[in-house]
Amino acid sequence: MANAIRSLATEDSRYRQLQRFFTDFEFSYLQLGRFLLQLFFSRDDSLYLTIDRTNWQLGKCNINILMLGVAYKNVAIPICWMLLNKKGNSNTQERIELLNKASRIFSGYPIAGLLGDREFIGQTWFRHLQKNRIAFYIRIKKNATIVTGKGNTSRVDSLFIRLKPNEAYYIDEAVQLTGVSVFLSALRLLDGELLIVASSKPEKKSIEIYARRWEIETLFQCLKGRGFNLEDTHITDPNKIRKMVGVLAIAFCWAIKTGEWRCQQGEEIRIKKHGRPQKSLFRHGLDLLQQVGLQVCHCLKRIHHCLKLLIIKPQAPNRSFFIL
């Protein structure tokens, strides 16, 4: 990045400017989260939130990011995140803390549900979601213990033992899981593994809804190996990493918006013979932004349109928000 900055300053000076940014500049993460949310969603949209972690190790330092995003066109839009000062799974208190921070961002938006993998279970956690009227669709372990309406205790996979590959089943009677009433759905994957989803309300499409959880994995891929190579950073200070994720969140969302705009202009993504797109919407947008940033693209009209994508249409009279 230092080499790409046009300046009369020396290379070392440009590099120090970037270092000072991550040391001194302070985000309002509340304002940033609202900005990213409003780039893609209006208050009429029902949002599916998806929660997950991404982690890696640099030397003896464990970098562990707990992220909350919103499902959007096969990818999650990053909204709120926190650094966990440890290795391994998040605990209930950390999840509640993240959700409480995010609640200020999502205020006024209808939440359709929260999607999470097998890490995100527990009595206190489920009851916190129910107390705040947040529906959930969480994958559970096949050996989890449940109590049926008749008071019988069994492993949850015993209820779906007859399922064949690619066959799904929904149980419309509530069971007790960690002392909380939930409804169960299951899908036998092609490799024979059971995917079991616990939902807070009866929903025959629980498996289909839960499938959108994967969109946050796509986000992590874009932030890391298939996009910005976040794992290559040698930054280990939690505050600086949180700030780095904030910068990349803006760049990621800008790339998605740019990819959408290119498709609207007739620059559609080519579909290959096997039926899959040649590249993602994210990559389609990032390619153009890199050309602009590296001054390969000299068309002022296209550059102007790229900049306009970061302008939010006001949702209230006489109010707008712009980040550049």
Side-chain angles (χ1 to χ4, degrees), residues 168-208:
Y169 187 71
Y170 160 72
I171 300 176
D172 59 3
E173 181 182 349
V175 301
Q176 294 289 312
L177 174 69
T178 67
V180 178
S181 292
V182 298
F183 296 84
L184 299 176
S185 300
L187 170 68
R188 179 78 68 180
L189 302 176
L190 295 178
D191 62 3
E193 185 180 359
L194 267 177
L195 188 157
I196 306 173
V197 174
S199 61
S200 57
K201 60 181 182 179
E203 174 57 75
K204 292 183 178 180
K205 295 184 178 181
S206 290
I207 296 293
E208 182 180 335

Side-chain angles (χ1 to χ4, degrees), residues 259-271 277-279 281 284:
E260 289 179 328
W261 176 74
R262 292 188 73 179
C263 290
Q264 293 167 1
Q265 300 304 306
E267 302 175 48
E268 297 182 358
I269 301 171
R270 187 171 69 87
I271 303 300
Q278 182 183 32
K279 55 184 175 180
L281 192 65
H284 196 40

Side-chain angles (χ1 to χ4, degrees), residues 9-36:
T10 65
E11 178 185 343
D12 289 341
S13 295
R14 296 195 300 271
Y15 189 80
R16 284 194 296 272
Q17 287 177 2
L18 295 175
Q19 287 180 312
R20 284 194 294 270
F21 171 83
F22 287 104
T23 300
D24 301 329
F25 183 80
E26 292 298 331
F27 275 126
S28 165
Y29 289 97
L30 173 63
Q31 191 179 37
L32 175 60
R34 287 174 176 169
F35 166 70
L36 298 176

Side-chain angles (χ1 to χ4, degrees), residues 17-202:
Q17 287 177 2
L18 295 175
Q19 287 180 312
R20 284 194 294 270
F21 171 83
F22 287 104
T23 300
D24 301 329
F25 183 80
E26 292 298 331
F27 275 126
S28 165
Y29 289 97
L30 173 63
Q31 191 179 37
L32 175 60
R34 287 174 176 169
F35 166 70
L36 298 176
L37 185 66
Q38 292 172 26
L39 267 182
F40 295 91
F41 305 100
S42 73
R43 296 188 185 276
D44 296 326
D45 295 322
S46 293
L47 310 180
Y48 280 107
L49 312 185
T50 175
I51 187 171
D52 205 355
R53 287 183 310 109
T54 185
N55 61 277
W56 67 93
Q57 193 167 16
L58 182 64
K60 295 182 179 181
C61 180
N62 294 297
I63 300 170
N64 200 354
I65 303 172
L66 181 62
M67 175 80 73
L68 189 69
V70 182
Y72 177 81
K73 296 184 179 180
N74 299 318
V75 71
I77 303 303
I79 299 297
C80 191
W81 53 93
M82 62 185 292
L83 273 292
L84 305 181
N85 188 26
K86 63 179 184 180
K87 181 180 181 180
N89 291 352
S90 62
N91 59 42
T92 299
Q93 189 55 47
E94 290 162 342
R95 299 168 205 158
I96 291 176
E97 181 183 346
L98 180 68
L99 204 58
N100 287 342
K101 290 179 179 179
S103 66
R104 299 175 63 192
I105 299 172
F106 293 116
S107 178
Y109 288 81
I111 305 299
L114 175 73
L115 319 177
D117 207 353
R118 287 165 288 196
E119 173 182 338
F120 300 96
I121 61 172
Q123 184 183 83
T124 304
W125 171 239
F126 283 168
R127 287 183 173 173
H128 179 80
L129 295 175
Q130 289 178 334
K131 178 182 177 181
N132 289 275
R133 299 179 181 180
I134 300 175
F136 59 80
Y137 303 85
I138 308 290
R139 185 177 181 181
I140 62 175
K141 296 179 180 179
K142 63 181 180 181
N143 63 351
T145 300
I146 54 100
V147 180
T148 66
K150 297 180 180 180
N152 299 323
T153 300
S154 64
R155 277 178 46 138
V156 68
D157 58 353
S158 66
L159 302 179
F160 306 102
I161 196 169
R162 295 185 179 180
L163 280 184
K164 298 177 182 179
N166 208 32
E167 187 176 24
Y169 187 71
Y170 160 72
I171 300 176
D172 59 3
E173 181 182 349
V175 301
Q176 294 289 312
L177 174 69
T178 67
V180 178
S181 292
V182 298
F183 296 84
L184 299 176
S185 300
L187 170 68
R188 179 78 68 180
L189 302 176
L190 295 178
D191 62 3
E193 185 180 359
L194 267 177
L195 188 157
I196 306 173
V197 174
S199 61
S200 57
K201 60 181 182 179

Side-chain angles (χ1 to χ4, degrees), residues 217-243:
E217 301 284 0
T218 305
L219 164 64
F220 289 152
Q221 291 170 1
C222 294
L223 294 179
K224 297 162 73 175
R226 295 185 182 178
F228 297 126
N229 298 315
L230 177 57
E231 290 180 313
D232 289 350
T233 179
H234 284 197
I235 296 176
T236 57
D237 178 83
N239 290 327
K240 292 181 180 179
I241 293 173
R242 188 185 182 200
K243 200 175 298 181

Side-chain angles (χ1 to χ4, degrees), residues 254 257-258 261-262 265 288-289 291-293 297-312 322-324:
W254 195 9
K257 296 292 288 186
T258 303
W261 176 74
R262 292 188 73 179
Q265 300 304 306
L288 178 56
L289 292 180
Q291 293 171 32
V292 171
C297 174
H298 299 288
C299 178
L300 292 179
K301 186 176 181 180
R302 286 171 68 82
I303 295 173
H304 178 68
H305 276 296
C306 287
L307 294 174
K308 286 179 64 177
L309 295 172
L310 285 179
I311 299 176
I312 292 178
F322 178 75
I323 281 186
L324 176 56

